[in-house]
Amino acid sequence: MMERKPQIVVLPDGKRVRFSLKTRAKEPFYFVVFRGRDGQRLERSTQDSSQKRAEATAVQLIKEEYLPPAPVEKCTWDDAIVSMVREMKA
């Protein structure tokens, strides 16, 4: 297993997240290791065997992990029924 020195991603809100890439003996891909929003250590596969591509993928994975959850649109049962009936007739 090979670990590299930590690198940093600066998120849109200015927060800095440290990460490192590592490999495993029997795995062809690089893994990114970083701390999630809750402080827990996370490890994600980059699915890249090239170190340069793995670094770029790692940045994307970290940004996706820190994105705020999408707002959930809520509707009442009455609205849902009307919408389903409309879609079934279409």
Side-chain angles (χ1 to χ4, degrees):
M1 175 169 54
M2 178 200 83
E3 278 201 50
R4 296 193 56 226
K5 63 181 181 174
Q7 298 171 323
I8 296 175
V9 173
V10 179
L11 301 173
D13 65 356
K15 182 175 176 67
R16 298 165 63 91
V17 179
R18 292 175 55 164
F19 74 94
S20 61
L21 293 175
K22 72 178 191 177
T23 59
R24 293 191 181 126
K26 296 184 180 186
E27 297 285 336
F29 304 123
Y30 281 87
F31 293 83
V32 59
V33 180
F34 63 99
R35 298 264 175 201
R37 281 197 229 201
D38 57 0
Q40 295 293 318
R41 180 182 177 273
L42 300 175
E43 182 176 305
R44 302 280 189 264
S45 174
T46 63
Q47 299 292 313
D48 286 311
S49 56
S50 161
Q51 184 177 341
K52 289 275 188 193
R53 286 192 310 251
E55 287 178 19
T57 302
V59 169
Q60 281 304 110
L61 289 170
I62 293 168
K63 286 181 177 181
E64 288 171 9
E65 185 70 33
Y66 276 84
L67 278 177
V72 178
E73 188 176 315
K74 297 180 182 179
C75 67
T76 65
W77 275 109
D78 293 333
D79 293 338
I81 292 170
V82 168
S83 178
M84 286 188 293
V85 168
R86 183 181 63 241
E87 292 297 320
M88 286 189 285
K89 288 180 180 178

Coordinates of all heavy atoms in Angstrom, one line a residue:
M1 N 0.9 -1.2 0.0 CA 0.0 0.0 0.0 C 0.9 1.2 0.0 O 1.8 1.3 0.8 CB -0.9 0.0 1.2 CG -1.7 1.2 1.4 SD -3.0 1.1 2.7 CE -2.1 0.6 4.1
M2 N 0.6 2.2 -0.9 CA 1.3 3.4 -1.0 C 0.5 4.6 -0.6 O -0.6 4.7 -1.1 CB 1.8 3.6 -2.4 CG 2.6 4.9 -2.6 SD 2.7 5.4 -4.3 CE 1.2 6.2 -4.5
E3 N 0.9 5.4 0.3 CA 0.2 6.6 0.6 C 1.0 7.8 0.2 O 2.2 7.8 0.4 CB -0.2 6.7 2.1 CG -1.4 5.9 2.4 CD -2.1 6.3 3.7 OE1 -2.3 7.5 3.9 OE2 -2.3 5.4 4.4
R4 N 0.4 8.9 -0.3 CA 1.1 10.1 -0.7 C 0.9 11.1 0.4 O 0.0 11.0 1.3 CB 0.5 10.6 -2.0 CG 0.8 9.6 -3.1 CD 0.5 10.2 -4.5 NE 1.3 11.4 -4.6 CZ 0.8 12.5 -5.1 NH1 -0.4 12.6 -5.5 NH2 1.6 13.6 -5.2
K5 N 1.6 12.2 0.3 CA 1.4 13.3 1.3 C 0.0 13.9 1.1 O -0.5 13.9 0.0 CB 2.5 14.3 1.1 CG 2.5 15.0 -0.2 CD 3.6 16.0 -0.3 CE 3.6 16.7 -1.6 NZ 4.5 17.7 -1.8
P6 N -0.6 14.5 2.1 CA -1.9 15.0 2.0 C -1.9 16.2 1.1 O -1.0 17.0 0.9 CB -2.2 15.5 3.4 CG -1.3 14.7 4.3 CD -0.1 14.5 3.5
Q7 N -3.1 16.4 0.4 CA -3.3 17.5 -0.5 C -4.6 18.2 0.0 O -5.2 17.7 0.9 CB -3.5 17.0 -1.9 CG -2.3 16.3 -2.5 CD -2.5 15.6 -3.8 OE1 -3.6 15.1 -4.0 NE2 -1.6 15.7 -4.7
I8 N -4.9 19.4 -0.6 CA -6.0 20.1 -0.1 C -6.9 20.5 -1.2 O -6.5 20.9 -2.3 CB -5.5 21.4 0.7 CG1 -4.7 21.0 1.9 CG2 -6.7 22.3 1.0 CD1 -4.1 22.2 2.6
V9 N -8.2 20.4 -0.9 CA -9.3 20.9 -1.8 C -9.9 22.1 -1.2 O -10.3 22.0 0.0 CB -10.4 19.9 -2.1 CG1 -11.5 20.5 -2.9 CG2 -9.8 18.7 -2.8
V10 N -10.1 23.2 -1.9 CA -10.8 24.4 -1.3 C -12.2 24.4 -1.9 O -12.4 24.5 -3.1 CB -10.1 25.7 -1.6 CG1 -10.8 26.9 -1.1 CG2 -8.6 25.7 -1.1
L11 N -13.2 24.3 -1.0 CA -14.6 24.2 -1.4 C -15.1 25.6 -1.7 O -14.5 26.6 -1.3 CB -15.4 23.5 -0.3 CG -15.0 22.1 0.0 CD1 -15.8 21.6 1.2 CD2 -15.2 21.2 -1.2
P12 N -16.2 25.7 -2.4 CA -16.8 27.0 -2.8 C -17.0 27.9 -1.6 O -16.9 29.1 -1.7 CB -18.1 26.7 -3.5 CG -17.9 25.3 -4.0 CD -17.0 24.6 -3.0
D13 N -17.3 27.3 -0.4 CA -17.6 28.2 0.8 C -16.3 28.5 1.5 O -16.3 29.2 2.6 CB -18.5 27.5 1.7 CG -18.0 26.2 2.3 OD1 -16.9 25.8 1.9 OD2 -18.7 25.5 3.1
G14 N -15.1 28.1 1.0 CA -13.8 28.5 1.6 C -13.3 27.4 2.5 O -12.1 27.5 2.9
K15 N -14.1 26.4 2.8 CA -13.6 25.3 3.7 C -12.5 24.5 2.9 O -12.6 24.3 1.8 CB -14.7 24.4 4.0 CG -14.4 23.3 5.0 CD -15.6 22.5 5.4 CE -15.2 21.3 6.2 NZ -14.7 21.6 7.5
R16 N -11.5 24.2 3.7 CA -10.4 23.4 3.1 C -10.4 22.0 3.6 O -10.6 21.7 4.8 CB -9.0 24.1 3.6 CG -8.9 25.5 3.0 CD -7.8 26.2 3.7 NE -6.5 25.7 3.5 CZ -5.7 26.1 2.5 NH1 -6.1 27.0 1.7 NH2 -4.5 25.5 2.4
V17 N -10.4 21.0 2.7 CA -10.5 19.6 3.0 C -9.2 18.9 2.6 O -8.8 19.0 1.4 CB -11.7 18.9 2.3 CG1 -11.7 17.5 2.7 CG2 -13.0 19.6 2.7
R18 N -8.5 18.3 3.5 CA -7.3 17.6 3.2 C -7.6 16.2 2.7 O -8.6 15.6 3.2 CB -6.4 17.5 4.5 CG -5.9 18.8 4.9 CD -5.1 18.7 6.2 NE -4.1 17.7 6.0 CZ -3.0 17.5 6.9 NH1 -2.9 18.3 7.9 NH2 -2.2 16.6 6.7
F19 N -6.9 15.7 1.8 CA -7.1 14.3 1.3 C -5.8 13.7 0.9 O -4.8 14.4 0.7 CB -8.1 14.3 0.1 CG -7.5 14.9 -1.2 CD1 -7.0 14.0 -2.1 CD2 -7.6 16.2 -1.5 CE1 -6.5 14.5 -3.3 CE2 -7.1 16.7 -2.7 CZ -6.5 15.8 -3.6
S20 N -5.7 12.4 0.7 CA -4.6 11.8 0.2 C -5.1 10.6 -0.7 O -6.2 10.1 -0.5 CB -3.7 11.2 1.3 OG -4.4 10.3 2.1
L21 N -4.2 10.3 -1.6 CA -4.5 9.1 -2.5 C -3.7 8.0 -2.0 O -2.5 8.1 -1.6 CB -4.1 9.5 -4.0 CG -4.9 10.6 -4.7 CD1 -4.3 10.8 -6.0 CD2 -6.3 10.1 -4.8
K22 N -4.2 6.8 -2.2 CA -3.5 5.6 -1.8 C -3.8 4.5 -2.8 O -4.9 4.5 -3.4 CB -3.7 5.2 -0.4 CG -5.1 4.6 -0.1 CD -5.2 4.2 1.4 CE -6.4 3.4 1.6 NZ -6.5 2.9 3.0
T23 N -3.0 3.5 -2.8 CA -3.2 2.3 -3.7 C -3.1 1.1 -2.7 O -2.6 1.2 -1.6 CB -2.1 2.2 -4.8 OG1 -0.8 2.1 -4.1 CG2 -2.2 3.3 -5.7
R24 N -3.6 0.0 -3.2 CA -3.6 -1.3 -2.5 C -2.8 -2.3 -3.5 O -2.9 -2.1 -4.7 CB -4.9 -1.8 -2.2 CG -5.6 -0.9 -1.2 CD -6.9 -1.6 -0.7 NE -7.5 -0.7 0.3 CZ -8.8 -0.4 0.2 NH1 -9.6 -0.8 -0.8 NH2 -9.3 0.4 1.1
A25 N -2.2 -3.2 -2.9 CA -1.4 -4.2 -3.6 C -2.2 -4.9 -4.7 O -1.7 -5.0 -5.9 CB -0.8 -5.2 -2.7
K26 N -3.4 -5.3 -4.5 CA -4.1 -6.1 -5.5 C -5.2 -5.3 -6.2 O -6.0 -5.9 -6.9 CB -4.7 -7.3 -4.8 CG -3.6 -8.3 -4.3 CD -4.2 -9.5 -3.8 CE -3.1 -10.4 -3.3 NZ -3.5 -11.7 -2.9
E27 N -5.2 -4.0 -6.0 CA -6.3 -3.1 -6.6 C -5.6 -2.3 -7.7 O -4.6 -1.6 -7.4 CB -6.9 -2.2 -5.6 CG -7.7 -3.0 -4.5 CD -9.0 -3.5 -5.1 OE1 -9.6 -3.0 -6.0 OE2 -9.5 -4.5 -4.5
P28 N -6.2 -2.2 -8.9 CA -5.6 -1.3 -9.9 C -5.9 0.2 -9.8 O -5.3 1.0 -10.5 CB -6.2 -1.9 -11.2 CG -7.6 -2.4 -10.8 CD -7.4 -2.9 -9.4
F29 N -6.8 0.5 -8.9 CA -7.3 1.9 -8.8 C -6.7 2.6 -7.6 O -6.3 2.0 -6.6 CB -8.8 2.0 -8.8 CG -9.5 1.3 -9.9 CD1 -10.4 0.3 -9.6 CD2 -9.2 1.6 -11.2 CE1 -11.0 -0.4 -10.7 CE2 -9.9 1.0 -12.2 CZ -10.8 0.0 -12.0
Y30 N -6.7 3.9 -7.7 CA -6.3 4.8 -6.6 C -7.6 5.0 -5.7 O -8.7 5.0 -6.2 CB -5.8 6.1 -7.0 CG -4.4 6.1 -7.5 CD1 -4.0 5.8 -8.8 CD2 -3.3 6.4 -6.6 CE1 -2.7 5.8 -9.2 CE2 -2.0 6.4 -7.0 CZ -1.7 6.1 -8.3 OH -0.4 6.1 -8.7
F31 N -7.3 5.2 -4.4 CA -8.4 5.5 -3.5 C -8.1 6.9 -2.9 O -7.0 7.2 -2.6 CB -8.5 4.5 -2.4 CG -8.9 3.1 -2.8 CD1 -8.0 2.2 -3.4 CD2 -10.3 2.7 -2.8 CE1 -8.4 1.0 -3.8 CE2 -10.7 1.5 -3.2 CZ -9.7 0.6 -3.8
V32 N -9.2 7.6 -2.6 CA -9.0 8.9 -2.0 C -9.5 8.8 -0.5 O -10.5 8.2 -0.3 CB -9.8 10.1 -2.7 CG1 -11.3 9.8 -2.8 CG2 -9.5 11.4 -2.0
V33 N -8.7 9.3 0.4 CA -9.1 9.3 1.8 C -9.2 10.7 2.3 O -8.3 11.5 2.1 CB -8.0 8.5 2.6 CG1 -8.3 8.5 4.1 CG2 -7.7 7.1 2.0
F34 N -10.3 11.0 3.0 CA -10.6 12.3 3.5 C -11.6 12.3 4.6 O -12.2 11.2 4.9 CB -11.1 13.3 2.4 CG -12.4 12.9 1.7 CD1 -13.6 13.5 2.1 CD2 -12.4 11.9 0.8 CE1 -14.8 13.1 1.5 CE2 -13.6 11.5 0.2 CZ -14.8 12.1 0.6
R35 N -11.8 13.4 5.3 CA -12.8 13.5 6.3 C -14.1 14.1 5.8 O -14.1 15.1 5.0 CB -12.4 14.4 7.5 CG -11.1 13.9 8.2 CD -11.5 13.1 9.4 NE -10.2 12.5 9.9 CZ -10.3 11.5 10.7 NH1 -11.4 11.0 11.1 NH2 -9.2 11.0 11.2
G36 N -15.3 13.4 6.1 CA -16.6 13.9 5.6 C -17.1 15.1 6.4 O -16.4 15.5 7.4
R37 N -18.3 15.5 6.1 CA -18.9 16.6 6.9 C -19.0 16.3 8.4 O -18.8 17.2 9.2 CB -20.3 16.8 6.4 CG -20.4 17.6 5.1 CD -21.8 18.0 5.1 NE -22.4 17.7 3.8 CZ -23.5 18.3 3.3 NH1 -24.0 19.2 4.0 NH2 -23.9 18.0 2.2
D38 N -19.2 15.1 8.7 CA -19.4 14.7 10.1 C -18.1 14.4 10.8 O -18.1 14.0 12.0 CB -20.4 13.5 10.3 CG -19.9 12.3 9.5 OD1 -18.8 12.4 8.8 OD2 -20.6 11.3 9.5
G39 N -17.0 14.5 10.1 CA -15.7 14.3 10.7 C -15.2 12.9 10.6 O -14.1 12.5 11.0
Q40 N -16.0 12.0 10.1 CA -15.7 10.6 9.9 C -14.7 10.4 8.7 O -14.8 11.1 7.7 CB -16.9 9.7 9.7 CG -17.9 9.7 10.8 CD -17.3 9.0 12.0 OE1 -16.6 7.9 11.9 NE2 -17.5 9.5 13.2
R41 N -13.8 9.5 8.9 CA -12.8 9.2 7.8 C -13.6 8.5 6.7 O -14.2 7.5 6.9 CB -11.7 8.3 8.3 CG -10.7 8.0 7.3 CD -9.6 7.1 8.0 NE -8.6 6.6 7.1 CZ -8.7 5.5 6.3 NH1 -9.8 4.8 6.4 NH2 -7.7 5.2 5.5
L42 N -13.5 9.0 5.4 CA -14.1 8.3 4.3 C -13.0 7.9 3.3 O -12.0 8.5 3.2 CB -15.0 9.3 3.6 CG -16.2 9.9 4.4 CD1 -16.9 10.9 3.6 CD2 -17.1 8.8 4.9
E43 N -13.3 6.8 2.6 CA -12.5 6.3 1.6 C -13.3 6.0 0.4 O -14.3 5.2 0.5 CB -11.7 5.1 2.1 CG -10.8 4.5 1.1 CD -10.0 3.3 1.7 OE1 -9.4 3.5 2.7 OE2 -10.0 2.3 1.1
R44 N -13.0 6.5 -0.8 CA -13.7 6.3 -2.0 C -12.8 5.9 -3.1 O -11.7 6.4 -3.2 CB -14.5 7.6 -2.4 CG -15.4 8.2 -1.4 CD -16.7 7.4 -1.4 NE -17.7 8.1 -0.6 CZ -18.0 7.8 0.6 NH1 -17.3 6.8 1.2 NH2 -18.9 8.4 1.3
S45 N -13.2 5.0 -4.0 CA -12.5 4.6 -5.1 C -12.6 5.6 -6.2 O -13.7 6.1 -6.5 CB -12.9 3.2 -5.6 OG -12.3 2.9 -6.8
T46 N -11.5 6.0 -6.8 CA -11.5 6.9 -7.9 C -11.8 6.2 -9.2 O -12.1 6.9 -10.2 CB -10.2 7.7 -8.0 OG1 -9.2 6.8 -8.4 CG2 -9.9 8.5 -6.8
Q47 N -11.7 4.9 -9.3 CA -11.8 4.1 -10.5 C -10.8 4.6 -11.6 O -11.1 4.4 -12.7 CB -13.3 4.3 -11.0 CG -14.3 3.7 -10.1 CD -14.3 2.2 -9.9 OE1 -14.2 1.5 -10.9 NE2 -14.3 1.8 -8.7
D48 N -9.7 5.2 -11.2 CA -8.7 5.6 -12.1 C -7.4 4.9 -11.7 O -7.0 4.9 -10.5 CB -8.5 7.1 -12.0 CG -9.6 7.9 -12.7 OD1 -9.9 7.5 -13.8 OD2 -10.1 8.8 -12.1
S49 N -6.7 4.4 -12.7 CA -5.3 3.8 -12.5 C -4.2 4.8 -12.7 O -3.1 4.6 -12.3 CB -5.2 2.6 -13.4 OG -5.3 2.9 -14.7
S50 N -4.6 6.0 -13.3 CA -3.6 7.0 -13.5 C -3.6 8.0 -12.3 O -4.7 8.4 -11.9 CB -3.9 7.8 -14.8 OG -3.3 9.1 -14.8
Q51 N -2.5 8.3 -11.8 CA -2.4 9.2 -10.6 C -3.0 10.6 -10.9 O -3.7 11.2 -10.1 CB -1.0 9.3 -10.1 CG -0.8 10.1 -8.9 CD 0.6 10.2 -8.4 OE1 1.4 9.3 -8.8 NE2 0.9 11.1 -7.5
K52 N -2.7 11.2 -12.1 CA -3.2 12.5 -12.5 C -4.7 12.5 -12.5 O -5.4 13.4 -12.0 CB -2.6 13.0 -13.8 CG -1.2 13.3 -13.7 CD -1.0 14.7 -13.3 CE 0.5 15.1 -13.4 NZ 0.7 16.3 -12.7
R53 N -5.3 11.5 -13.2 CA -6.7 11.4 -13.3 C -7.4 11.2 -12.0 O -8.4 11.7 -11.6 CB -7.1 10.4 -14.3 CG -6.9 10.8 -15.8 CD -7.6 9.8 -16.7 NE -7.3 8.4 -16.4 CZ -6.5 7.6 -17.2 NH1 -5.9 8.1 -18.3 NH2 -6.3 6.4 -16.8
A54 N -6.7 10.4 -11.1 CA -7.2 10.0 -9.8 C -7.3 11.3 -8.9 O -8.2 11.5 -8.2 CB -6.3 9.0 -9.1
E55 N -6.3 12.2 -9.1 CA -6.3 13.5 -8.3 C -7.5 14.3 -8.7 O -8.2 14.9 -7.9 CB -5.0 14.2 -8.5 CG -3.8 13.7 -7.8 CD -2.5 14.4 -8.1 OE1 -2.6 15.6 -8.5 OE2 -1.5 13.8 -7.9
A56 N -7.8 14.4 -10.0 CA -8.9 15.2 -10.5 C -10.2 14.6 -10.0 O -11.1 15.3 -9.6 CB -8.9 15.3 -12.0
T57 N -10.3 13.3 -10.1 CA -11.5 12.6 -9.7 C -11.7 12.7 -8.2 O -12.8 12.9 -7.7 CB -11.4 11.1 -10.0 OG1 -11.3 11.0 -11.4 CG2 -12.7 10.3 -9.6
A58 N -10.6 12.7 -7.4 CA -10.7 12.9 -6.0 C -11.3 14.2 -5.6 O -12.1 14.3 -4.7 CB -9.3 12.7 -5.3
V59 N -10.9 15.3 -6.3 CA -11.4 16.6 -6.0 C -12.9 16.6 -6.3 O -13.7 17.1 -5.5 CB -10.7 17.7 -6.9 CG1 -11.4 19.0 -6.9 CG2 -9.3 17.8 -6.5
Q60 N -13.4 16.0 -7.4 CA -14.8 15.9 -7.7 C -15.6 15.1 -6.6 O -16.7 15.5 -6.2 CB -15.0 15.3 -9.1 CG -14.8 16.2 -10.2 CD -15.7 17.5 -10.1 OE1 -15.2 18.5 -9.8 NE2 -17.0 17.3 -10.3
L61 N -15.0 14.0 -6.2 CA -15.7 13.2 -5.2 C -15.9 13.9 -3.9 O -16.9 13.8 -3.2 CB -14.9 11.9 -4.9 CG -14.9 10.8 -6.0 CD1 -13.9 9.7 -5.8 CD2 -16.3 10.3 -6.2
I62 N -14.8 14.7 -3.5 CA -14.9 15.4 -2.2 C -15.9 16.6 -2.4 O -16.7 16.8 -1.4 CB -13.5 16.0 -1.9 CG1 -12.6 14.8 -1.5 CG2 -13.6 17.0 -0.7 CD1 -11.1 15.2 -1.4
K63 N -15.9 17.3 -3.5 CA -16.9 18.3 -3.7 C -18.3 17.8 -3.6 O -19.2 18.4 -3.1 CB -16.6 19.1 -5.0 CG -15.4 20.0 -4.9 CD -15.2 20.7 -6.2 CE -14.0 21.7 -6.0 NZ -13.8 22.4 -7.3
E64 N -18.6 16.6 -4.3 CA -19.9 16.0 -4.2 C -20.3 15.6 -2.8 O -21.5 15.7 -2.5 CB -19.9 14.8 -5.2 CG -19.9 15.1 -6.6 CD -19.7 13.9 -7.5 OE1 -19.8 12.8 -7.0 OE2 -19.5 14.1 -8.7
E65 N -19.3 15.1 -2.0 CA -19.6 14.7 -0.7 C -20.1 15.9 0.2 O -20.9 15.8 1.1 CB -18.4 14.1 -0.1 CG -18.6 13.5 1.3 CD -19.5 12.3 1.3 OE1 -19.5 11.5 0.4 OE2 -20.2 12.1 2.3
Y66 N -19.5 17.1 -0.1 CA -19.8 18.3 0.7 C -20.9 19.1 0.2 O -21.3 20.1 0.8 CB -18.5 19.1 0.9 CG -17.6 18.6 2.0 CD1 -16.7 17.6 1.8 CD2 -17.7 19.2 3.2 CE1 -15.9 17.2 2.8 CE2 -16.9 18.8 4.3 CZ -16.0 17.7 4.0 OH -15.2 17.3 5.1
L67 N -21.4 18.8 -1.0 CA -22.6 19.5 -1.5 C -23.7 19.5 -0.6 O -24.0 18.4 0.0 CB -23.0 19.0 -2.9 CG -22.3 19.4 -4.1 CD1 -22.8 18.6 -5.3 CD2 -22.3 20.8 -4.3
P68 N -24.5 20.6 -0.4 CA -25.6 20.5 0.5 C -26.7 19.6 -0.2 O -26.8 19.6 -1.4 CB -26.1 22.0 0.6 CG -25.5 22.7 -0.6 CD -24.2 21.9 -0.9
P69 N -27.5 18.9 0.6 CA -28.5 18.1 0.1 C -29.5 18.9 -0.7 O -29.8 20.0 -0.4 CB -29.2 17.4 1.3 CG -28.7 18.2 2.5 CD -27.5 18.9 2.1
A70 N -30.0 18.3 -1.8 CA -30.9 19.0 -2.7 C -32.2 19.2 -1.9 O -32.7 18.3 -1.2 CB -31.2 18.2 -3.9
P71 N -32.9 20.4 -2.1 CA -34.1 20.6 -1.4 C -35.2 19.6 -1.9 O -35.3 19.3 -3.1 CB -34.5 22.0 -1.7 CG -33.7 22.4 -2.9 CD -32.5 21.5 -2.9
V72 N -35.9 19.1 -0.9 CA -37.0 18.1 -1.3 C -38.3 18.9 -1.5 O -38.7 19.6 -0.6 CB -37.1 17.1 -0.2 CG1 -38.3 16.1 -0.5 CG2 -35.8 16.3 0.0
E73 N -38.9 18.7 -2.6 CA -40.2 19.3 -2.9 C -41.3 18.5 -2.2 O -41.4 17.3 -2.5 CB -40.4 19.4 -4.4 CG -41.6 20.2 -4.7 CD -41.8 20.4 -6.2 OE1 -40.8 20.6 -6.9 OE2 -42.9 20.2 -6.7
K74 N -42.1 19.1 -1.3 CA -43.1 18.4 -0.6 C -44.5 18.8 -1.3 O -44.7 19.9 -1.7 CB -43.1 18.8 0.8 CG -41.9 18.4 1.6 CD -41.9 18.8 3.0 CE -40.6 18.5 3.7 NZ -40.6 18.8 5.1
C75 N -45.3 17.8 -1.3 CA -46.7 18.0 -1.8 C -47.7 17.2 -0.9 O -47.3 16.3 -0.3 CB -46.8 17.7 -3.3 SG -46.7 16.0 -3.7
T76 N -48.9 17.7 -1.0 CA -49.9 17.0 -0.2 C -50.4 15.7 -1.0 O -50.1 15.6 -2.2 CB -51.1 17.9 0.1 OG1 -51.7 18.2 -1.2 CG2 -50.7 19.2 0.8
W77 N -51.1 14.8 -0.3 CA -51.6 13.6 -0.9 C -52.6 14.0 -2.0 O -52.7 13.4 -3.1 CB -52.3 12.7 0.1 CG -51.3 11.8 0.7 CD1 -50.9 11.8 2.0 CD2 -50.6 10.7 0.1 NE1 -50.0 10.9 2.3 CE2 -49.8 10.1 1.1 CE3 -50.6 10.2 -1.2 CZ2 -49.0 9.1 0.8 CZ3 -49.8 9.1 -1.4 CH2 -49.0 8.5 -0.4
D78 N -53.4 15.0 -1.8 CA -54.4 15.5 -2.8 C -53.7 15.9 -4.1 O -54.1 15.5 -5.2 CB -55.3 16.6 -2.3 CG -56.2 16.1 -1.1 OD1 -56.5 14.9 -1.1 OD2 -56.5 17.0 -0.3
D79 N -52.6 16.7 -3.9 CA -51.8 17.1 -5.1 C -51.2 15.9 -5.8 O -51.1 15.9 -7.0 CB -50.8 18.1 -4.7 CG -51.3 19.4 -4.2 OD1 -52.5 19.7 -4.5 OD2 -50.6 20.2 -3.5
A80 N -50.7 15.0 -5.0 CA -50.0 13.8 -5.6 C -51.0 13.0 -6.4 O -50.7 12.5 -7.5 CB -49.4 13.0 -4.5
I81 N -52.2 12.8 -5.9 CA -53.3 12.0 -6.6 C -53.7 12.7 -7.9 O -53.7 12.0 -8.9 CB -54.5 11.8 -5.6 CG1 -54.1 10.8 -4.5 CG2 -55.6 11.2 -6.4 CD1 -55.1 10.7 -3.4
V82 N -53.9 14.0 -7.8 CA -54.2 14.7 -9.0 C -53.1 14.6 -10.1 O -53.4 14.4 -11.2 CB -54.5 16.2 -8.7 CG1 -54.6 17.1 -9.9 CG2 -55.7 16.4 -7.8
S83 N -51.9 14.7 -9.6 CA -50.7 14.6 -10.6 C -50.6 13.2 -11.2 O -50.4 13.0 -12.4 CB -49.4 14.9 -9.8 OG -48.4 14.8 -10.7
M84 N -50.8 12.2 -10.3 CA -50.8 10.8 -10.9 C -51.9 10.5 -11.8 O -51.7 9.9 -12.9 CB -50.9 9.8 -9.7 CG -49.6 9.7 -8.9 SD -49.5 8.4 -7.7 CE -50.8 9.0 -6.5
V85 N -53.1 11.0 -11.5 CA -54.2 10.7 -12.5 C -54.0 11.5 -13.8 O -54.2 10.9 -14.9 CB -55.6 11.2 -11.8 CG1 -56.7 11.3 -12.8 CG2 -55.9 10.3 -10.6
R86 N -53.4 12.7 -13.7 CA -53.1 13.4 -14.9 C -52.1 12.7 -15.8 O -52.2 12.6 -17.0 CB -52.6 14.8 -14.6 CG -52.3 15.7 -15.8 CD -51.8 17.1 -15.4 NE -50.5 17.0 -14.7 CZ -50.3 17.4 -13.5 NH1 -51.3 18.0 -12.8 NH2 -49.1 17.3 -12.9
E87 N -51.0 12.2 -15.1 CA -50.0 11.4 -15.8 C -50.5 10.1 -16.4 O -50.1 9.7 -17.5 CB -48.8 11.2 -14.9 CG -48.0 12.4 -14.5 CD -47.4 13.2 -15.7 OE1 -46.9 12.5 -16.7 OE2 -47.5 14.4 -15.8
M88 N -51.4 9.4 -15.7 CA -51.9 8.2 -16.2 C -52.8 8.4 -17.5 O -52.8 7.6 -18.4 CB -52.7 7.5 -15.1 CG -51.8 6.8 -14.1 SD -52.7 5.7 -13.0 CE -53.5 6.9 -11.9
K89 N -53.5 9.5 -17.5 CA -54.4 9.8 -18.6 C -53.6 10.3 -19.9 O -54.0 10.2 -21.0 CB -55.4 10.9 -18.3 CG -56.5 10.4 -17.3 CD -57.4 11.6 -17.0 CE -58.5 11.1 -16.1 NZ -59.4 12.2 -15.7
A90 N -52.4 10.8 -19.6 CA -51.6 11.3 -20.7 C -51.0 10.2 -21.6 O -51.0 9.1 -21.6 CB -50.4 12.1 -20.2

